[in-house]
Amino acid sequence: MTSTIIDARRAPDTHWPVPQERRTVTVLFADIVGSTALVDRLDPEDVRELQRAYFDTVAAVLHRWHGVVEKYVGDAVMALFGARHSDGFDAYRAVRAGLEIQAALDRRPMVGDVRLRVRVGVATGEVVVDLGGAVSGGHGVASGAVITTAARLQEYAPPGAVALCAATARATAGLIAQRQLAPVPVAGRVPPMPVWHAVGPVRPGTDRHDGPLIGRRRELAAITDRVTRAIREHQPQWVSLVGPTGSGRSRLLHELTRALHTVDGRAVRWCVVSCPPYPDQVLAPVAELLRGLVGIRHGDGPALVGDRLVAALTPLLGPTGVAEVVPALRRLLATPDGSPEALAGAAVCRDVLLRLAAVRPLVVAVDDVDRAAPEVSRFLHALFTAATTRRLPVAVLTVHQPQWADTRPGHARRMSIRPLAAVQSGRLLRHLLTRAGQPVALVDRLLPLVGGRPGHAAAYVASVVAGADPVALPEPVRRAVGAEVDRLDGERRAALMAAATVGGRVSAATLDRVLGWAPGRSASALRALAVAGLLLPHRTDGYVFAAPALRQVAAERLPRALRALFARRAADAPHLEPVRQGSVRRDDRTGAVRATAAQVQEGEPLSLRQRIAAPTVLTRAATPTPGTSRPPAARRLRAVPTAGATPAHSSGPPATLPRPPLIRRPDGLAAA
């Protein structure tokens, strides 16, 4: 076919101080099978009509899954996922788009009796992205070997299939059913490239929560108290559990369902649903609530679905009422889209929940509600408002990330899930390593890396079990943290990446110098990053990173030349007092805070390697008790020297402390 290039005007973001980034993206490459023979036998006007139908179909699917079409060349289409913004599910969206392209072309009638078959390759890897050109038609917006890999992969996909590289297969494991094939030879590459074929989407499995709950007793007690109050006083409560990915939100919800069975002798009914990434239908979570309520499983036939609906709802509605509502509920279960029929079924489901609450206390919990469509939020608001008006014993729990901007009821309780203390993270790591049959001695290497997030601890241990270097950043953590960075606007995102090259504490004055901004401009960005929980204010001056993985990902986003420029500017800037490198721990018995640190020599400037490789985790200093000149003893910071080091109070010469091991990456960035 003739070449077609979409010429779209680039719209660079004038508020974006960093014009290019090194990013992990997913590339989709689609090509028509047998296009040359097809064109030879068609009239040019038919070729033109066929092209339009083909490109329109593919572009519509890519747009639905938030892909950016980089170019059309002949009958090939190349699209990028995660080129400018990532949600952590770029690979999943790309594979779903590839599968949907195949299905859409099978359904769409083409010219005459022509039936188009395409091959699709999907590869994930690092590229350099021109952020200003990351729009559909931004030809040449990305550069990297992964683009060639995607093109090669589609050559090994049978007509109508979607081929995946190893990184894409790992990123979509548990979300996409896959079939691994024998490795294929690729020119210029040794060894042969492993290939997977995508079979179709699968429902995500339930996370395992069989270990001990560590460090969340206070949050568990507070939420239990709110739910208990709602049931006892017939005053509905809305509680939002808020925390970043990996903070243990889902685990806390699981513990709540296990801990709260009865209130004052009354059995509590839990209706819990989790929102998968990008559900096929906007009301799918509401349909899942209904399934769990009446005991319907996916795959149950129409007759069994009808029997279960009648059996569960007859005691509430009576035979006549059941006969009236079952058709609407069947429609909701079959196609939970935003149509009037499905919305009518959701209204019936809401009425059923309210009737249940009049008989038995009810808790409705929605995990990952920030992934759901607005229709789900409206459903929850209507349920809560009606329960409040009727004074029913109802509690609504929503679990989501901090940036979710949905409006909750004004008196809703927002409960932030804070990072675990270092001693708690250590206990969790020891448990995970022991259960996985790994050396417990790895705790010392992993503890400074997990940043108090249980999910990060589990990811590091799973990475060790898979044979990776213990201190290498696991792919799931990299994807989740990268999505946190991408939720920032241009100015704050640039400030975060530049701060990652400074090391230790970073002040507004230093960051202004690094970015070349007017004095005072970065102060508001730093405050906003602290409010978002990405930076922590230091007790004296400046800020430090809240999580080591966040700092590493932010630094790696910068191209080498820009990273070196920022480092030179940071070296010329006045330095804050060097910080202690290591972790801060709280004694479980006394509550005393202990700092385990490798002290940087006073006044010694930090090298670029140290700045990027040694994340610092600090806590606020204790506030002095009125009338005293220093904090109470139970809250003083005490430096605990590492093995072989001379204690700070010793009169002998200071010991030379070993530097943490460094891993060299291909881009020259060193990481601890």
Side-chain angles (χ1 to χ4, degrees):
M1 293 184 180
T2 57
S3 297
T4 304
I5 304 293
I6 299 300
D7 183 15
R9 181 175 300 177
R10 297 187 180 187
D13 188 345
T14 57
H15 300 289
W16 192 265
V18 180
Q20 293 184 338
E21 281 188 16
R22 300 174 66 102
R23 301 177 60 87
T24 298
V25 303
T26 298
V27 181
L28 179 147
F29 200 96
D31 199 7
I32 294 178
V33 178
S35 60
T36 302
L38 182 62
V39 169
D40 286 344
R41 67 183 180 87
L42 290 177
D43 183 84
E45 293 185 18
D46 293 334
V47 172
R48 185 70 169 181
E49 184 178 347
L50 184 65
Q51 277 185 321
R52 286 177 175 169
Y54 166 63
F55 288 130
D56 287 349
T57 301
V58 173
V61 172
L62 293 173
H63 177 74
R64 164 173 154 75
W65 291 101
H66 306 291
V68 172
V69 177
E70 209 239 22
K71 58 176 167 283
Y72 299 97
V73 179
D75 54 2
V77 182
M78 193 190 93
L80 305 175
F81 293 80
R84 187 181 176 91
H85 297 285
S86 173
D87 57 2
F89 294 97
D90 305 316
Y92 173 73
R93 289 186 287 109
V95 177
R96 289 297 304 270
L99 293 169
E100 190 171 316
I101 285 171
Q102 304 288 17
L105 290 175
D106 286 342
R107 292 192 303 266
R108 180 162 184 171
M110 296 294 174
V111 178
D113 59 349
V114 173
R115 185 187 181 199
L116 287 184
R117 304 295 288 167
V118 299
R119 296 186 175 96
V120 177
V122 182
T124 301
E126 189 178 33
V127 297
V128 175
V129 178
D130 175 2
L131 297 170
V135 295
S136 288
H139 184 75
V141 67
S143 302
V146 66
I147 296 173
T148 303
T149 301
R152 293 288 179 267
L153 276 170
Q154 65 85 22
E155 296 175 357
Y156 294 99
V162 179
L164 317 177
C165 73
T168 304
R170 290 192 299 268
T172 57
L175 298 172
I176 299 292
Q178 306 163 359
R179 183 175 67 254
Q180 186 172 5
L181 306 180
V184 298
V186 177
R189 294 190 181 182
V190 178
M193 181 172 58
V195 178
W196 284 256
H197 280 178
V199 177
V202 297
R203 297 183 65 248
T206 304
D207 293 335
R208 289 180 55 187
H209 297 299
D210 53 358
L213 180 67
I214 296 175
R216 298 299 187 204
R217 301 298 177 186
R218 181 176 300 177
E219 292 92 336
L220 185 62
I223 301 171
T224 301
D225 178 68
R226 300 282 294 193
V227 174
T228 301
R229 187 189 312 172
I231 294 172
R232 284 176 176 167
E233 301 176 4
H234 284 232
Q235 183 176 354
Q237 299 284 324
W238 184 307
V239 181
S240 290
L241 308 183
V242 184
T245 303
S247 60
R249 303 167 308 183
S250 299
R251 174 60 192 273
L252 187 55
L253 175 58
H254 174 76
E255 290 298 323
L256 285 167
T257 62
R258 294 177 55 184
L260 191 60
H261 295 294
T262 60
V263 174
D264 298 335
R266 302 176 66 190
V268 177
R269 181 188 294 273
W270 282 85
C271 295
V272 183
V273 64
S274 179
C275 300
Y278 297 93
D280 290 333
Q281 306 288 349
V282 296
L283 288 173
V286 178
E288 288 300 311
L289 275 176
L290 179 60
R291 285 192 178 91
L293 195 64
V294 301
I296 296 174
R297 295 188 298 267
H298 286 273
D300 286 345
L304 183 57
V305 168
D307 291 343
R308 292 191 183 277
L309 286 171
V310 170
L313 301 182
T314 298
L316 293 173
L317 305 174
T320 303
V322 168
E324 293 176 355
V325 303
V326 162
L329 295 179
R330 281 180 176 273
R331 174 65 172 79
L332 173 65
L333 293 172
T335 312
D337 55 14
S339 65
E341 295 80 6
L343 290 172
V348 173
C349 180
R350 182 174 61 248
D351 182 62
V352 168
L353 290 172
L354 294 169
R355 289 174 180 268
L356 282 172
V359 178
R360 177 178 171 184
L362 178 70
V363 181
V364 176
V366 182
D367 197 1
D368 292 317
V369 69
D370 45 334
R371 299 178 182 175
E375 286 81 355
V376 176
S377 296
R378 288 194 283 269
F379 173 87
L380 294 174
H381 280 274
L383 174 69
F384 185 78
T385 300
T388 302
T389 301
R390 303 181 192 183
R391 295 189 62 82
L392 296 174
V394 172
V396 175
L397 301 181
T398 52
V399 183
H400 57 86
Q401 299 194 45
Q403 78 282 352
W404 190 50
D406 181 58
T407 55
R408 293 174 297 279
H411 55 282
R413 172 70 180 274
R414 178 185 174 100
M415 183 167 295
S416 297
I417 302 177
R418 301 183 180 278
L420 295 176
V423 65
Q424 296 166 339
S425 295
R427 288 170 53 198
L428 177 61
L429 282 169
R430 282 190 290 274
H431 167 75
L432 294 173
L433 289 167
T434 301
R435 189 174 69 178
Q438 298 297 317
V440 178
L442 287 173
V443 169
D444 292 337
R445 300 184 69 186
L446 297 180
L447 183 58
L449 305 176
V450 300
R453 297 191 187 184
H456 288 194
Y460 270 101
V461 172
S463 181
V464 169
V465 172
D469 189 298
V471 297
L473 190 63
E475 290 182 13
V477 176
R478 185 183 300 278
R479 290 194 297 269
V481 171
E484 291 183 53
V485 175
D486 281 347
R487 294 186 189 106
L488 303 171
D489 62 24
E491 189 158 300
R492 284 180 288 179
R493 193 155 134 192
L496 188 74
M497 292 190 292
T501 67
V502 173
R505 279 175 282 160
V506 58
S507 67
T510 300
L511 195 58
D512 286 336
R513 180 185 292 266
V514 168
L515 285 167
W517 286 354
R521 178 179 172 184
S522 65
S524 60
L526 289 173
R527 286 193 298 269
L529 292 171
V531 170
L534 304 180
L535 297 181
L536 300 176
H538 187 253
R539 58 189 173 87
T540 58
D541 187 20
Y543 298 84
V544 294
F545 274 81
L550 179 65
R551 181 181 177 193
Q552 181 176 338
V553 169
E556 290 175 345
R557 285 283 187 89
L558 293 170
R560 291 193 304 266
L562 195 56
R563 193 186 311 155
L565 173 63
F566 286 173
R568 288 196 301 271
R569 291 176 177 175
D572 294 338
H575 288 283
L576 295 172
E577 178 186 352
V579 298
R580 297 175 185 268
Q581 303 177 44
S583 59
V584 176
R585 299 186 293 185
R586 181 178 294 276
D587 191 288
D588 275 346
R589 295 170 296 177
T590 66
V593 176
R594 300 184 300 163
T596 301
Q599 175 105 31
V600 177
Q601 185 176 346
E602 188 73 23
E604 177 182 337
L606 295 174
S607 66
L608 175 61
R609 174 182 298 179
Q610 290 172 308
R611 282 195 293 269
I612 296 179
T616 304
V617 181
L618 298 175
T619 58
R620 293 179 182 271
T623 303
T625 304
T628 65
S629 59
R630 64 180 185 177
R635 300 187 65 185
R636 288 199 300 269
L637 286 172
R638 302 199 303 272
V640 181
T642 55
T646 302
H649 61 270
S650 172
S651 59
T656 301
L657 299 178
R659 293 185 177 179
L662 298 175
I663 297 177
R664 293 195 177 277
R665 292 186 291 274
D667 59 6
L669 182 63

